[in-house]
Structure formats: C-alpha cells, structure tokens
Amino acid sequence: MSTNKGKFLAAFMAGLLGLYALVFLAKGGLFISKHEGDTLHLLQMLLRMGQGDWPHLDFVTPIGVLAFAPISAFLEAGLGIGHAIHAGQLLVAAVLFVPAWWVAKTRFDGAWAYLFAATVLIFATALVYGEVDDSVSISMHYNRWAWALSFLAITAAILPGREGPSPRMDGVVIGLAMAAMAMIKITYFAAFFIPVLVGLFARGAGRTVLWALLAGLVTVAAVTLWVGTPVIWLAYLRDLLNVAASDVRPQPGRDFSYVVSAPAYLGGSLVALLAVIFLRQAGRMTEGLVLLLLLPGFFYVTFQNFGNDPQWLWLLGLLLIALRPSGPVFNGFGWDLQKAITYAGVAAFAFATPSFLNLAASPFRHFATDVEKYAPLMPGSGVHEDLQTYAPRASRVDVRRAFDGPDTLFASLYDDDAREDTNVAFKGRDLDYCTLELGMVVWFRAVSQDIADWSGGGKSLFSADLLSSYWLYADLTPLRGGAPWYYGALSGIENADYLLVPTCPLSADTRRKILDEVSGQDWIDEVEEVRRTPYYTLYSLPGKTPKPVEPPTDPDEETE
C-alpha cells in the first residue's frame, strides 16, 4: 500500500471513529434495552475500583483488570457511568487505531484494508454483544474488545506482510494484543497463543516472536507497577481456578459439541474445514496448518461466550480473501482453488454478516432511541443517572413461581423428584421454587433500602443469589473479598454481616447451591434467622451480633 493510500486509510478510520464519537456523546447518556443484571455486575466492579478496590485483590472476578480500566479512568475523572462507558470504548478504539491501521495496511489490498480496519473499530465501540437481536446492551463488552485484539494478533501472525517483513512493528502489535487479551479475558489468550506462535515460527519470524515477547513483558510490568503489587497475578489465577472448578455456570450457553455441529453452526464449521483443505491444496501449507490449529480455539471461545456467537467467521472471510491465489490453481479434482477459496470466504461472510451488521449499526440504533421511554438504572445517583434502562423493565416486578405442590389441586399428581433441583431446605425451613423474571431495579432498590432502614445502614451482605448489587441502592457496604457475580465458593462470606436469602432469587439453582454449601459448614449452627419478610430472610453469621428476631410479616397484610 502506497504512502498516500496509508494516509487515506488513516483518514477513513479517523472519520469512522469521529462519527461514532459524535453519535455516542450527542445522545446525553447510555440507554440500554436489556441485560440490566450484567450491567449491574459491571457497575459494581467499576464503582468499587473508583473507591480504590482492585479486581482479584478486593473482589472476586475471572475478568481481568483491563476489561474495566478504560471505563474506570473516566469515572475517576468525574464522568457519569453512561458517558464513562462511551468514553472508555472510544479510548479502546483509539488505542487500537495504530495497530489496526498497521495490520490493515500491510496485510490487505484495496477495500479489504478498509474493511479490516473498520472491523476492529466496530468491535471496540459497538453497543451490543453480537447476534441479531436489535437491542442496545453493554453486556460482555470485554468479549468484543478481546475479539478485536485477537483479530489483530491472528492476522499479523498468519498473513505475511505485503511490503516485506517488519519484525519490530509486527512483534509489538502481536505482543501487546496477546498481553491485553490475557488481562481482559484469558480464554482468548489460552485459545490463540499456540496457533499464533506456530504461525510466526512456521514462516521464520523468530525476530517477531522476540519483539512480541518483549512487548508482552513490558505490558505486564507496567500493569504490575500500576496496581502496585505482583500479588495481583496470583489473585487472578486464584479467581480463574475458582471459576474453572465451579459447577454453577460451567458454560454460559450451549454445549461444546452444539456450537460445532448443531444446524445453526455446522455450515460455518464445514466452511472452515474446507478452507483448510483448499489452502493446503493451493500451496498455502503454513496458513492452512495455522488455520487448522485455530479452529479448536475459535470453537472454544464461541462455546465459552454467552450467546455462542461465532464472531471468528468474519475474520475467516477476511483471511481467505487475502490468502486466495492471484491466478487459477487447480487441485487433483480439477477445481480452481482460487475460486474455491473465494467462495469459501464469501460463505464465511454470509454466515457472519447478520451479527456483524448488528454490531456496526448498534451505535446508530442507540442514537435513535426515544429517551422518553427510559428511566435511570440508579435513580438518585446524580451524575450516574446518565445510564438508563427501558422503563417498563425497570418498573415492573414479575416472578415465576411453582404452581404445583402437596397443598394444590395437583397434589395427587405431584412428583417430589421433579422438584429435586428447584426446592431447597435451609435451617429447617422449606423454600419453594420462585425466580425474579423482571424488575431488578425495583427489587434491588426496595430490598436494599428496607434492609438499610432496619439494620441502621453500613452493613455488608452475602446474597444467596447470582448478583449482590444491593449496596448500589442504599447505605450498605460492598462485601470485602466477595464476588459481584457468583461463580462458586462462599467468597467473602467471612466478612459479611448477614446472609440474605431472597424468596424469589434471580437464579433458584444458585440459591440452592449456596445454601447447600452454607449448610455443610462447621459453623452452620451459629447461623441465626434475624429477620423474615415475604421477600427475603436475613441470617446473622458467626462472630456477628444479631438484632432481635422479628416475627414474619403476613404477606396479605404487606400487600394491602
């Protein structure tokens, strides 16, 4: 690519990034339409970092510190959460600007360079996690960032530079991208480290590997100095092992075999396998081998991410277009491999286009949002009211309850075994199946304020549920050493004042697992019920001074 074309590419990227910045900041906030739970999970970590806490050291999470730092920096500068999220995403895109420009300029010709560069910026700034649901959601933003980084590292490793080797710049891009992946979501690093390394060594890019190693080590050292202690890495490892050993959420979606061979995914899997064969038949032996090594990682990351969206198919299309022979090449069957690889690339694009267009359009969809239909996610939080959610989802409280049981019309047909995974007994009390389906904002606001009023405030809770966002809404204290999202283990319970057992949790299965684990502790006899309402029960924990037990409130009286 000529110097002028490089300038044109940079101007295009700057224009696209400027357009996204305009539609973000002109809206006056962030207006999400789904995934309030994931957003509250994010808010807990961001606000705790604003209070001086660090991931892994002060609270448990398998997500790395760089997943939050770009947003947290703007929170500390005084922005509201909504604007801080926009600014954080734009910061990530700005940091990736030069690497994306370099990889696009040196690996692709013509319009494909522009498309690759745009892809990286779109993944950095989108306002939906993928798939085809035309909503606005900040959920799992770190997955998009990690995909953008993986696109840079994989492309720089598998495609030779069109203007000759550039080991220093290539190595810095790859090293920084791999290190950032490890400190955002280590799944991506683990999935792509070996294929990237093999790709570099297979084409004799040993100097690139050395520069990548140096860049990665410098990044790790800089983060260690920033945090202030190398213990952060041991704590990160502990959190990862905690999640790996947990049976609460072994994967957030379909089984591994499903995301490889189910009807919705089989077409993409077959295209990828055919691409490996066609590349090797066309003489691209190294590239075909590296792509084959990448496939298990592509499948695993897709399996491990909520939604199971195979974002890698878009990258596959770009790689195949760049790797197709410049002229006709025929295999033993007489097939023109230039056309075969082109067709495979087109098929990969076809499978990936709905999700990619959803990502690209999400900032403009957000810009067109009717803000009159939205309400603050954290009412009364001042500057942070710039983060809002769809009002009906914030105002309604809907639950799902069991409709059968011994005292119902269905008693003669009731099967205890059918409720084995839903009902739970704790401290001699049976808890029926019930889950909160809608209304997290109302739930957390009302329950947290009720507890704060009763307790006098300043207390910390261990919640027998998936989320523990109560301290965001009242005078309660974040749980030191706790997990904003429950992945397993009773993390931080020794620092809690009370155990909170919701009548209708977000996840009945999680409530059962937590209460079963608490029941197995040697201090279970010291756990005492101190407050019961129709909506939750509080228990004091060992070493805490309980308030007097209050009689249960009559649900009928409460309703009236």
Side-chain angles (χ1 to χ4, degrees):
M1 181 177 283
S2 69
T3 302
N4 284 337
K5 288 183 178 179
K7 292 178 180 178
F8 290 148
L9 175 62
F12 164 77
M13 294 173 64
L16 179 61
L17 189 55
L19 178 60
Y20 278 145
L22 177 64
V23 298
F24 285 155
L25 303 180
K27 194 61 181 177
L30 175 59
F31 302 86
I32 62 173
S33 54
K34 63 187 301 184
H35 294 149
E36 296 90 347
D38 284 9
T39 307
L40 290 174
H41 168 232
L42 173 62
L43 296 190
Q44 287 192 71
M45 294 183 282
L46 291 175
L47 293 176
R48 291 193 65 163
M49 290 181 69
Q51 297 173 1
D53 288 350
W54 285 99
H56 320 305
L57 295 177
D58 298 297
F59 57 88
V60 174
T61 177
I63 308 302
V65 66
L66 291 188
F68 315 112
I71 303 172
S72 178
F74 290 100
L75 278 179
E76 293 182 14
L79 270 64
I81 291 176
H83 284 90
I85 289 174
H86 287 318
Q89 295 223 117
L90 291 170
L91 175 60
V92 171
V95 170
L96 297 183
F97 188 99
V98 172
W101 174 83
W102 170 260
V103 175
K105 183 176 81 77
T106 58
R107 264 63 182 187
F108 295 95
D109 283 331
W112 300 108
Y114 291 79
L115 182 58
F116 178 85
T119 296
V120 174
L121 298 183
I122 287 169
F123 271 80
T125 56
L127 287 176
V128 71
Y129 60 93
E131 294 191 287
V132 296
D133 186 0
D134 60 345
S135 59
V136 172
S137 170
I138 196 60
S139 175
M140 298 167 291
H141 68 284
Y142 42 80
N143 286 344
R144 291 186 285 99
W145 294 357
W147 275 124
L149 291 162
S150 66
F151 285 9
L152 290 171
I154 291 169
T155 303
I158 197 172
L159 297 182
R162 293 178 176 272
E163 301 170 2
S166 302
R168 181 183 302 174
M169 189 63 184
D170 287 349
V172 169
V173 169
I174 294 171
L176 292 178
M178 295 301 297
M181 275 187 267
M183 287 180 275
I184 290 177
K185 191 172 181 182
I186 204 166
T187 303
Y188 290 80
F189 176 85
F192 303 136
F193 175 75
I194 295 299
V196 165
L197 196 63
V198 170
L200 291 172
F201 279 126
R203 59 184 179 88
R207 291 178 60 198
T208 301
V209 173
L210 291 177
W211 278 107
L213 180 62
L214 178 62
L217 291 175
V218 168
T219 304
V220 171
V223 172
T224 304
L225 290 174
W226 172 43
V227 176
T229 173
V231 177
I232 184 73
W233 305 114
L234 294 176
Y236 189 15
L237 178 61
R238 177 205 60 201
D239 289 353
L240 293 170
L241 293 175
N242 173 48
V243 174
S246 170
D247 63 349
V248 174
R249 197 174 185 182
Q251 80 272 341
R254 300 288 190 171
D255 293 335
F256 183 83
S257 60
Y258 188 95
V259 301
V260 176
S261 60
Y265 301 91
L266 184 58
S269 301
L270 292 176
V271 166
L273 290 173
L274 288 173
V276 171
I277 296 171
F278 292 153
L279 286 173
R280 292 180 66 82
Q281 288 180 341
R284 298 280 194 178
M285 304 297 288
T286 297
E287 292 85 349
L289 171 64
V290 175
L291 179 57
L292 181 62
L293 295 176
L294 282 167
L295 288 184
F298 286 152
F299 294 144
Y300 180 74
V301 171
T302 302
F303 148 79
Q304 202 272 334
N305 288 351
F306 175 83
N308 304 131
D309 199 1
Q311 305 283 11
W312 57 270
L313 283 168
W314 187 260
L315 174 63
L316 176 63
L318 289 167
L319 293 175
L320 291 180
I321 293 300
L323 289 170
R324 59 184 175 169
S326 57
V329 176
F330 298 93
N331 65 8
F333 296 101
W335 297 354
D336 185 344
L337 293 172
Q338 182 194 41
K339 292 181 179 179
I341 293 173
T342 301
Y343 295 154
V346 170
F349 280 131
F351 285 120
T353 291
S355 178
F356 179 75
L357 291 181
N358 194 29
L359 292 166
S362 59
F364 304 103
R365 185 163 58 243
H366 175 263
F367 184 70
T369 297
D370 181 0
V371 299
E372 297 299 323
K373 298 179 179 179
Y374 285 71
L377 191 67
M378 294 175 60
S381 60
V383 67
H384 298 314
E385 287 192 341
D386 65 346
L387 175 58
Q388 303 202 4
T389 187
Y390 189 54
R393 293 180 63 89
S395 303
R396 291 172 50 184
V397 181
D398 294 349
V399 301
R400 174 165 45 176
R401 292 182 180 275
F403 206 49
D404 54 11
D407 299 322
T408 68
L409 174 66
F410 316 104
S412 62
L413 304 174
Y414 182 72
D415 183 359
D416 285 330
D417 293 338
R419 287 288 176 194
E420 183 179 2
D421 294 334
T422 61
N423 293 338
V424 61
F426 183 68
K427 298 291 288 185
R429 178 185 169 203
D430 292 327
L431 302 175
D432 295 331
Y433 174 77
C434 181
T435 59
L436 183 69
E437 296 293 298
L438 195 66
M440 286 187 201
V441 175
V442 178
W443 168 267
F444 283 118
R445 287 182 67 192
V447 171
S448 59
Q449 191 59 57
D450 191 61
I451 294 173
D453 291 343
W454 171 80
S455 67
K459 303 300 182 180
S460 60
L461 308 175
F462 186 98
S463 176
D465 202 356
L466 207 55
L467 278 174
S468 54
S469 302
Y470 298 94
W471 65 273
L472 297 176
Y473 290 95
D475 180 20
L476 297 171
T477 304
L479 180 60
R480 184 165 53 89
W485 185 288
Y486 181 77
Y487 286 99
L490 303 177
S491 304
I493 197 169
E494 68 279 3
N495 300 316
D497 293 295
Y498 298 108
L499 170 66
L500 169 65
V501 180
T503 303
C504 294
L506 301 173
S507 169
D509 186 57
T510 299
R511 182 184 67 175
R512 179 179 61 84
K513 284 181 167 62
I514 291 174
L515 294 181
D516 285 348
E517 188 169 356
V518 170
S519 297
Q521 303 301 310
D522 55 12
W523 41 259
I524 183 60
D525 291 338
E526 301 178 56
V527 175
E528 301 178 20
E529 180 181 322
V530 295
R531 178 169 170 79
R532 187 190 301 184
T533 77
Y535 314 104
Y536 67 88
T537 304
L538 280 182
Y539 296 87
S540 68
L541 293 167
K544 313 297 181 180
T545 303
K547 293 188 69 171
V549 177
E550 296 188 359
T553 305
D554 187 335
D556 294 333
E557 293 180 4
E558 189 76 20
T559 303
E560 294 172 359

